[in-house]
Amino acid sequence: MSETIFPPRIKRRSEVLYHLKAAKFPSGHVVYPPCEIDPETGETDPEYIQLPKTGTVVVDTVQRIVPSWMVLNGPYHVVVVECDDDNHTRLMSQLTGADPDTDYTGWRVQARFRRLNANEPEGTIVYGFKWEPMVGPAYLHT
Amino acid sequence: MSQVPCVIGFGMSPWGSEWKLSARDLIAKAARETIKSAGIGMKEIEAIHIGAMTTGMFTGQENIGAYAADAMGIPGVPASRHEGACASASVAFNAACDDIASGRHKMVWSGGIEKMTDVSGDGATAALAAASEREFEADQGATFPLMYALMAKSHMAALGTTREMLTAVAVKNHRNASKNPHAQFQMEVTPKIVESSIMVADPLRLFDCSPITDGSAGLIVVSEDVAKSLGKPYVRVLGRALVSDQMFLHRRKVLHEMPGAVKATKHALDEAGKKITDMQAIELHDCFTIAELMLLEAMGLYEPGKAGPATVDGKTAIEGESPVNSSGGLKGKGHPVGATGAAQIGELFLQLTGTAPTERQIPKDPTVGMAMNVGGIGTMCGATVLEGVRK
């Protein structure tokens, strides 16, 4: 697996992964990750937008048998999150700062910039966003 | 005039951890069994269509069309490799049927191959992950067990599916596999074994997952005039459909539904002029226990949320009202990803012609059945409706 991620691949994804970049089509439909053609409507010519960095977990699971390229993380959550934009745009990502024995479905989360996995050939460290559960009094009204 | 494609023979290599057999050996063994079943000679095969998902990552071998022709001792015939993740053999089968329907060829070998144990379990997980959206799903840690786990959690939350229902799928399919001499796991399992197996991705445990398998399977596809001339039982391909769907799970409106399978079922049944309730035998893609329940609902055999209770009640058992996966399914028979679709159609060939081994022949002697072969998370769905012609 490790031989399949090279710096060009990391480079071309970095804007999307660093900034939660999405495509907004003329109809208003938002697609993540961004693309040239809306896979649902066939529309073209999107504008590129940044998704809000907060949302709600729609569904959550924990990978217990961890593949080598993710071994950095130990058992890890992957969640589908509905972002706080008008389109309720969904995306799939890891959860960070999470207890492996808690189900975070329905939790409020915020995007955090983190090292993504252990798959780092040629010294390139892969960064991107993960979601973090919003806990504590500071988040009661968010 | 368009010809009705017919299947006159089916064969499999051994399926399992076949360390002593190369991909070439597996193809040759499946091809030999296929021509024996059909009662033809290898040199009568006019073309080869073979499904292979990711032989490059599993073995380093590509150029699989020519490789298969060489393994079968018939270099010189047109030979092509088809890929549609775990539905690769269905893609190949459709190409073979097109060859027959168009009149281009009269006798074609259609099959599949995957040699999965030349890599570690970790390597196999990585190779299989190539069927997901590689850059944004697999690289985020989304393995296939994990994605089906997300679908399972969604199905459970929305429709009340329970652990007991998932377990019932595994127990049933292992019971069927125990009667299949070609199955990787010819053993029954108890609910306790399933429910105490190691957790892979919540809520899916090891015994909710299909195994890593080496194997090949083949079918001989011919025109109906050829089938009739041989004077042996055969199956007619009444309807078939290949449907693709969006790659990203998160873009699916309802995570636990498979729109591709819904469409493929409808197209294949419409072409066949049949209803889902006409199907007397079904082979479907139980890559994970939850997939069997999702597909039974996508195919319209059960309303959403009803496939689980039906399975617990024994309605999908061999002796039940709607027998599903009499072969043992992917769960018990094994899942060499590029070959699975051919073996599904092969099991229906046996059941619909009444030539399955007595111990697993569906007692109602079915004549019409359906195969549903799925690639990825339902991103490629192959549906095939077959009708047996018994002599």
Side-chain angles (χ1 to χ4, degrees):
Chain A
M1 184 76 146
S2 62
E3 72 280 9
T4 61
I5 296 187
F6 289 103
R9 179 157 156 176
I10 296 164
K11 171 74 177 164
R12 71 172 174 264
R13 292 185 307 174
S14 59
E15 205 175 339
V16 176
L17 290 179
Y18 292 3
H19 302 295
L20 281 183
K21 184 179 166 186
K24 185 172 186 178
F25 289 89
S27 64
H29 188 223
V30 176
V31 179
Y32 177 86
C35 50
E36 294 292 322
I37 302 170
D38 186 328
E40 283 192 19
T41 66
E43 281 188 297
T44 57
D45 303 313
E47 63 170 311
Y48 294 99
I49 62 167
Q50 195 170 343
L51 291 171
K53 295 192 174 172
T54 54
T56 303
V57 176
V58 175
V59 65
D60 170 24
T61 188
V62 179
Q63 180 79 31
R64 307 270 174 184
I65 298 180
V66 180
S68 62
W69 65 96
M70 300 299 294
V71 80
L72 181 71
N73 302 288
Y76 58 91
H77 288 259
V78 171
V79 292
V80 175
V81 167
E82 201 165 88
C83 289
D84 288 341
D85 62 331
D86 292 341
N87 286 273
H88 306 293
T89 306
R90 286 180 174 187
L91 46 85
M92 182 192 288
S93 180
Q94 291 175 56
L95 206 58
T96 187
D99 167 19
D101 295 322
T102 298
D103 185 340
Y104 290 91
T105 302
W107 280 55
R108 298 280 299 147
V109 289
Q110 59 189 341
R112 293 296 196 199
F113 195 65
R114 292 286 185 270
R115 185 177 173 183
L116 281 186
N117 56 40
N119 196 359
E120 296 159 350
E122 301 178 26
T124 307
I125 297 175
V126 183
Y127 290 104
F129 71 89
K130 294 181 181 179
W131 295 99
E132 181 181 57
M134 297 165 75
V135 292
Y139 300 119
L140 281 177
H141 302 290
T142 58
Chain B
M1 193 174 106
S2 181
Q3 298 274 335
V4 176
C6 298
V7 177
I8 61 166
F10 162 57
M12 290 171 65
S13 71
W15 278 29
S17 294
E18 302 295 337
W19 288 14
K20 290 182 178 175
L21 300 176
S22 67
R24 170 186 287 273
D25 299 330
L26 293 166
I27 293 168
K29 285 181 181 294
R32 189 187 65 198
E33 295 304 311
T34 311
I35 63 165
K36 274 188 193 171
S37 163
I40 62 162
M42 200 72 83
K43 300 288 184 191
E44 293 179 71
I45 294 170
E46 298 171 17
I48 294 169
H49 291 282
I50 185 163
M53 178 186 147
T54 180
T55 45
M57 290 182 78
F58 280 125
T59 67
Q61 180 67 56
E62 301 290 13
N63 197 9
I64 297 298
Y67 183 78
D70 192 60
M72 292 164 66
I74 49 173
V77 302
S80 41
R81 175 256 187 96
H82 301 261
E83 192 271 313
C86 302
S88 295
S90 285
V91 181
F93 182 73
N94 270 268
C97 288
D98 287 343
D99 269 2
I100 299 300
S102 68
R104 185 174 187 83
H105 295 295
K106 285 196 172 297
M107 189 173 289
V108 177
W109 188 87
S110 170
I113 173 67
E114 215 71 59
K115 173 69 187 170
M116 301 173 74
T117 65
D118 276 5
V119 295
S120 64
D122 198 58
T125 301
L128 294 169
S132 65
E133 216 296 343
R134 189 65 182 76
E135 291 194 5
F136 287 95
E137 286 186 334
D139 287 357
Q140 284 277 5
T143 64
F144 270 97
L146 183 145
M147 286 194 282
Y148 275 89
L150 290 170
M151 290 187 250
K153 291 278 290 279
S154 177
H155 202 275
M156 290 168 134
L159 300 168
T161 295
T162 64
R163 175 67 257 174
E164 179 194 18
M165 297 172 193
L166 299 179
T167 299
V169 174
V171 170
K172 169 185 70 75
N173 289 348
H174 271 277
R175 186 187 311 126
N176 295 348
S178 73
K179 299 168 185 168
N180 184 348
H182 289 98
Q184 182 167 1
F185 298 125
Q186 297 168 42
M187 61 179 194
E188 296 200 36
V189 297
T190 63
K192 186 179 177 186
I193 289 173
V194 176
E195 292 172 9
S196 61
S197 62
I198 189 169
M199 187 69 83
V200 178
D202 309 32
L204 299 181
R205 294 178 176 275
L206 186 65
F207 273 79
D208 288 304
C209 308
S210 56
I212 300 294
T213 310
D214 299 324
S216 179
L219 304 157
I220 300 292
V221 188
V222 300
S223 58
E224 190 155 25
D225 54 351
V226 172
K228 282 179 179 170
S229 71
L230 294 171
K232 295 170 65 176
Y234 61 94
V235 294
R236 306 173 79 230
V237 183
L238 295 184
R240 54 193 167 94
L242 281 176
V243 172
S244 60
D245 199 2
Q246 289 197 35
M247 289 292 287
F248 290 95
L249 179 63
H250 69 254
R251 287 185 186 162
R252 201 175 274 174
K253 287 189 173 60
V254 181
L255 292 176
H256 57 266
E257 290 182 353
M258 281 195 186
V262 173
K263 283 184 194 168
T265 302
K266 182 180 185 323
H267 293 168
L269 288 173
D270 285 352
E271 188 171 286
K274 300 285 184 187
K275 303 187 295 292
I276 189 67
T277 48
D278 294 330
M279 300 301 112
Q280 300 157 335
I282 290 173
E283 285 288 307
L284 60 71
H285 203 90
D286 59 320
C287 49
F288 300 93
T289 49
I290 186 64
E292 178 158 323
L293 304 183
M294 289 170 60
L295 284 170
L296 285 171
E297 292 164 7
M299 293 161 73
L301 194 64
Y302 295 104
E303 293 293 316
K306 301 298 183 192
T311 305
V312 171
D313 291 345
K315 291 179 179 172
T316 57
I318 283 183
E319 62 281 3
E321 65 181 23
S322 300
V324 174
N325 284 333
S326 57
S327 66
L330 285 57
K331 182 73 197 74
K333 184 182 63 202
H335 184 27
V337 289
T340 283
Q344 289 180 319
I345 291 169
E347 174 69 10
L348 290 176
F349 169 80
L350 299 176
Q351 292 289 350
L352 304 182
T353 55
T355 56
T358 311
E359 58 275 18
R360 78 168 195 281
Q361 177 70 50
I362 294 170
K364 291 177 183 168
D365 284 334
T367 55
V368 182
M370 185 173 195
M372 172 58 74
N373 185 200
V374 169
I377 53 168
T379 44
M380 178 64 77
C381 295
T384 310
V385 178
L386 301 164
E387 177 184 55
V389 179
R390 301 184 183 203
K391 297 293 174 184

